[in-house]
Amino acid sequence: MLFILVSITVFASDQRMFVALIDFTRSKDSELICSYLSNRITETEKYRLITRDDRDIMSLINESKLSYSTVSSEASQRLKLKNVTVIMPVKITNSSYSTSSSKSVINGKTVYTYTVKYKIEGSFQILSVNNGEILASKAIDLEGSDSYSNTYGSFQESYEEARKLAIQRAAASMEGTLNKLVVIRATIIEKISEDTYLVSGGSWSGLTVGSKVTFLRSYMGSEMKQGYAEVASIGAETCIIKVWDKPQFDIVPGSTLVVELPNQHLSGEGVSKYNMYGGLILNNMAFQGGLSFDSIASYNGGVLFGTGLNVAFFQQKASYEFSGSLGFYMPFNKNGTSGVGVKGGVFLGASSHLQDKNNYLTYGGGPYVSAFIDFPIGTGFFNGIFLEAGYKLPIMGISPAGLFINFGVQTVSSPF
């Protein structure tokens, strides 16, 4: 038993991918891009990063005279001995800025607003040390912008902010491409409780506390991914996941896999819902329909911000409305794709007489409040449906008042 324990300790090793990030430009912008990317990789702990501080490996890379797009067989053999998996060369070919201005009058005073745009152009590649293959090649053509005025801010502040945004976007593009290439898989070892499982992958696999995974089942050559779980605690070789949304198939220890959701490190944890609906205002039996957008602060639910465009037809009139709303959303399965919510807000718009030869517009607005429920219907462009009911109180009679009910479809965009 002691021999087995010692053997496991000696031969178990960190299985995370070794990434060598190489700056082929050595400009201030390329150095900052590599610095931002290094910091992000260090935070997520998904990879082990080799930088200039790893002098022995970097000297080996320099001795091998690597080119931007190839890895020689000699370099490949030497780097594999150091467990280097991929090389990411980055090259910035151009950095530039431009300015524009506009004028407005506020409280009788002329205010000049100046916008600074900073643009970075270049490219990066991801090369396999094992066979020299180019795994990914992508251009960098990104910009950031910031504004100042003759009453607030300065050119230098906006220039630095615009440059910072452009550099951060370039680093995020590189990280996103790398994340899509490397997707971690692990096996369910055993069931601990109704919603917790022990999994074979740990920190040495690249998982961290908070990593999001989905369940995978293979059947007759096909793969099915369903459900959602999160790493609750972690060790070097194993972790415990907490299930938030169970798959429709059974979770079988020893055969069911969990797969990392690869874009979890790319975006914030909010959820966006794009809605298209039709409905009825019951007091006037008026038909309405429109488009709306809801942004939820977190996949765990929370504050909701919304906007919408609505058209209603009533009493030979048509109303055209733009609305803004604030509310709260609570998901059923902790991933933001189904749940209930309430929201209230205001709308502004105009109404027109459809059959009046002397057609004219009446302008106005008013408050409204509603409650809604939504849930997924599968894959595709429209992957959810929702039902909403509420009350609207227009001012100046621009649209029908009273109870309304809407039914529609939605497209859900989330970090998963």
Side-chain angles (χ1 to χ4, degrees):
M1 180 62 71
L2 178 61
F3 172 77
I4 292 174
L5 290 176
V6 171
S7 298
I8 291 174
T9 302
V10 171
F11 291 107
S13 61
D14 194 334
Q15 299 300 309
R16 289 179 298 162
M17 186 174 72
F18 251 133
V19 179
L21 183 60
I22 305 176
D23 180 2
F24 269 77
T25 312
R26 298 294 177 90
S27 67
K28 289 183 178 180
D29 282 351
S30 63
E31 288 180 357
L32 283 174
I33 289 171
C34 292
S35 176
Y36 274 113
L37 181 58
S38 299
N39 290 338
R40 181 57 183 160
I41 288 176
T42 301
E43 289 174 6
T44 61
E45 299 180 344
K46 182 176 178 180
Y47 317 102
R48 290 179 292 172
L49 184 65
I50 299 168
T51 63
R52 290 183 190 172
D53 294 333
D54 300 289
R55 299 182 183 278
D56 57 334
I57 298 179
M58 290 309 294
S59 62
L60 188 156
I61 289 174
N62 293 332
E63 290 171 10
S64 302
K65 298 180 181 180
L66 296 176
S67 71
Y68 175 70
S69 57
T70 59
V71 181
S72 66
S73 58
E74 176 193 358
S76 174
Q77 293 300 320
R78 298 181 68 185
L79 290 170
K80 278 192 288 186
L81 293 176
K82 296 290 186 177
N83 296 318
V84 179
T85 312
V86 299
I87 297 173
M88 288 186 70
V90 57
K91 184 188 296 182
I92 301 302
T93 56
N94 184 50
S95 298
S96 61
Y97 76 91
S98 60
T99 60
S100 60
S101 63
S102 61
K103 183 174 72 173
S104 60
V105 178
I106 302 175
N107 296 327
K109 295 183 179 181
T110 301
V111 177
Y112 292 91
T113 300
Y114 306 93
T115 299
V116 181
K117 292 184 178 180
Y118 195 92
K119 187 173 184 178
I120 294 177
E121 296 174 289
S123 61
F124 68 90
Q125 300 200 95
I126 300 177
L127 308 177
S128 170
V129 169
N130 185 48
N131 55 20
E133 179 186 357
I134 298 177
L135 302 177
S137 180
K138 192 172 181 180
I140 297 175
D141 186 5
L142 298 162
E143 69 176 30
S145 65
D146 192 66
S147 299
Y148 68 100
S149 70
N150 58 337
T151 60
Y152 179 80
S154 67
F155 167 78
Q156 191 61 36
E157 291 175 340
S158 290
Y159 173 86
E160 293 296 339
E161 183 63 23
R163 180 169 176 250
K164 177 182 175 182
L165 288 173
I167 288 170
Q168 288 177 333
R169 287 169 181 168
S173 175
M174 295 175 66
E175 184 195 6
T177 303
L178 185 60
N179 282 339
K180 290 178 181 178
L181 289 174
V182 183
V183 180
I184 300 168
R185 292 190 178 198
T187 305
I188 299 288
I189 297 176
E190 65 176 271
K191 181 178 181 179
I192 299 174
S193 67
E194 189 62 31
D195 61 353
T196 56
Y197 290 83
L198 182 66
V199 175
S200 63
S203 60
W204 283 354
S205 299
L207 294 172
T208 61
V209 172
S211 290
K212 304 167 186 64
V213 295
T214 187
F215 296 92
L216 183 145
R217 176 189 180 188
S218 297
Y219 181 72
M220 297 182 66
S222 298
E223 292 187 342
M224 180 184 299
K225 296 178 182 178
Q226 290 181 354
Y228 159 66
E230 206 171 81
V231 175
S233 62
I234 196 163
E237 297 180 285
T238 60
C239 68
I240 294 175
I241 62 170
K242 183 174 179 60
V243 182
W244 293 112
D245 184 20
K246 287 189 175 182
Q248 295 179 4
F249 52 79
D250 293 332
I251 300 175
V252 180
S255 60
T256 302
L257 300 178
V258 293
V259 182
E260 177 200 29
L261 292 159
N263 61 345
Q264 64 174 309
H265 301 296
L266 300 184
S267 58
E269 294 190 332
V271 178
S272 299
K273 294 175 180 285
Y274 305 86
N275 310 311
M276 184 171 69
Y277 64 88
L280 187 68
I281 302 176
L282 303 179
N283 295 45
N284 302 75
M285 295 304 290
F287 293 98
Q288 66 177 5
L291 303 171
S292 65
F293 167 77
D294 292 327
S295 177
I296 304 164
S298 166
Y299 72 93
N300 282 320
V303 177
L304 176 150
F305 297 93
T307 59
L309 294 171
N310 185 74
V311 179
F313 299 95
F314 65 105
Q315 299 173 354
Q316 298 183 351
K317 296 180 183 179
S319 68
Y320 318 94
E321 304 157 5
F322 174 78
S323 63
S325 60
L326 176 66
F328 185 84
Y329 184 82
M330 181 180 297
F332 292 141
N333 53 0
K334 301 296 182 183
N335 66 4
T337 59
S338 63
V340 295
V342 294
K343 58 184 177 181
V346 295
F347 59 92
L348 302 172
S351 65
S352 63
H353 292 251
L354 297 176
Q355 297 182 1
D356 194 328
K357 293 181 179 179
N358 299 315
N359 189 19
Y360 60 90
L361 293 176
T362 303
Y363 301 94
Y368 83 97
V369 63
S370 69
F372 61 92
I373 180 172
D374 58 17
F375 47 91
I377 56 175
T379 58
F381 183 76
F382 291 116
N383 48 13
I385 60 176
F386 72 96
L387 182 67
E388 179 183 21
Y391 187 88
K392 62 192 299 187
L393 181 63
I395 301 171
M396 296 177 60
I398 68 163
S399 64
L403 296 170
F404 67 86
I405 184 168
N406 292 326
F407 177 77
V409 294
Q410 61 185 200
T411 299
V412 180
S413 175
S414 75
F416 323 114

